[in-house]
Coordinates of all heavy atoms in Angstrom, one line a residue:
K12 N 233.7 99.6 111.2 CA 232.8 100.5 111.9 C 233.0 102.0 111.6 O 232.1 102.8 111.5 CB 232.8 100.3 113.5 CG 231.7 101.1 114.2 CD 231.9 100.6 115.7 CE 230.9 101.4 116.5 NZ 230.9 101.0 117.9
F13 N 234.3 102.3 111.5 CA 234.6 103.7 111.3 C 235.3 104.0 109.9 O 235.8 105.1 109.7 CB 235.7 104.1 112.3 CG 235.2 103.9 113.8 CD1 235.8 103.1 114.7 CD2 234.0 104.6 114.2 CE1 235.4 103.0 116.0 CE2 233.5 104.4 115.5 CZ 234.2 103.6 116.3
D14 N 235.2 103.1 109.0 CA 235.9 103.2 107.7 C 235.4 104.5 107.0 O 236.1 105.2 106.4 CB 235.6 102.0 106.8 CG 236.5 100.8 107.2 OD1 237.1 100.9 108.2 OD2 236.6 99.9 106.5
A15 N 234.0 104.7 107.0 CA 233.5 105.8 106.3 C 233.8 107.2 106.9 O 233.8 108.2 106.2 CB 231.9 105.7 106.3
L16 N 234.2 107.2 108.2 CA 234.6 108.4 108.8 C 236.0 108.8 108.5 O 236.3 110.1 108.5 CB 234.5 108.3 110.4 CG 233.1 108.6 110.9 CD1 232.0 107.6 110.4 CD2 233.2 108.6 112.5
L17 N 236.9 107.8 108.3 CA 238.3 108.1 108.2 C 238.6 109.3 107.1 O 239.4 110.1 107.5 CB 239.1 106.8 107.8 CG 240.6 106.9 107.9 CD1 241.1 107.3 109.3 CD2 241.3 105.6 107.4
P18 N 238.1 109.2 105.9 CA 238.5 110.2 105.0 C 237.7 111.6 105.2 O 238.1 112.6 104.6 CB 238.1 109.7 103.6 CG 237.1 108.7 104.0 CD 237.3 108.1 105.3
R19 N 236.8 111.6 106.2 CA 236.0 112.8 106.4 C 236.4 113.5 107.7 O 235.8 114.5 108.1 CB 234.6 112.4 106.6 CG 234.0 111.9 105.1 CD 232.6 111.3 105.3 NE 231.9 111.2 104.0 CZ 232.1 110.1 103.3 NH1 232.8 109.1 103.8 NH2 231.6 109.9 102.1
I20 N 237.5 113.0 108.4 CA 238.0 113.7 109.6 C 239.4 114.1 109.3 O 240.3 113.4 108.9 CB 238.0 112.7 110.8 CG1 236.6 112.3 111.2 CG2 238.8 113.3 111.9 CD1 236.5 111.4 112.3
D21 N 239.6 115.5 109.4 CA 241.0 116.0 109.0 C 241.9 115.9 110.1 O 241.6 115.9 111.3 CB 240.8 117.5 108.6 CG 239.8 117.8 107.4 OD1 239.8 116.9 106.5 OD2 239.1 118.8 107.4
D22 N 243.2 115.8 109.7 CA 244.3 115.9 110.7 C 244.1 117.2 111.5 O 243.8 118.3 111.0 CB 245.6 115.9 110.1 CG 246.1 114.5 109.7 OD1 245.9 113.6 110.5 OD2 246.6 114.3 108.6
G23 N 244.3 117.2 112.8 CA 244.3 118.3 113.7 C 242.9 118.7 114.1 O 242.7 119.6 114.9
A24 N 241.8 117.9 113.7 CA 240.4 118.2 114.1 C 240.2 118.0 115.5 O 240.8 117.1 116.2 CB 239.5 117.3 113.3
R25 N 239.4 118.8 116.1 CA 238.9 118.7 117.5 C 237.6 117.9 117.5 O 236.6 118.3 116.8 CB 238.7 120.1 118.2 CG 239.9 120.9 118.3 CD 239.7 122.0 119.4 NE 239.7 121.4 120.8 CZ 238.8 121.6 121.7 NH1 237.7 122.3 121.4 NH2 238.9 121.1 122.9
I26 N 237.6 116.7 118.1 CA 236.5 115.8 118.1 C 235.9 115.6 119.5 O 236.6 115.3 120.4 CB 236.9 114.4 117.6 CG1 237.5 114.5 116.1 CG2 235.8 113.4 117.6 CD1 238.2 113.3 115.6
L27 N 234.6 115.7 119.5 CA 233.8 115.3 120.7 C 233.1 114.0 120.4 O 232.2 114.1 119.5 CB 232.9 116.4 121.2 CG 232.0 116.0 122.4 CD1 232.8 115.7 123.6 CD2 231.0 117.1 122.7
D28 N 233.4 112.9 121.1 CA 232.8 111.7 120.8 C 231.9 111.3 121.9 O 232.3 111.0 123.1 CB 233.9 110.6 120.7 CG 233.4 109.2 120.2 OD1 232.3 109.1 119.7 OD2 234.2 108.3 120.2
I29 N 230.5 111.4 121.6 CA 229.5 111.2 122.6 C 229.1 109.8 122.7 O 228.9 109.1 121.7 CB 228.3 112.1 122.4 CG1 228.7 113.6 122.4 CG2 227.1 111.8 123.3 CD1 227.6 114.6 121.9
A30 N 229.0 109.2 123.9 CA 228.9 107.8 124.1 C 230.0 107.0 123.4 O 229.8 106.2 122.6 CB 227.5 107.3 123.6

Side-chain angles (χ1 to χ4, degrees):
K12 186 175 180 180
F13 301 121
D14 284 11
L16 273 62
L17 188 63
R19 294 173 168 86
I20 295 178
D21 299 327
D22 280 316
R25 297 197 75 233
I26 299 175
L27 177 62
D28 191 9
I29 296 173

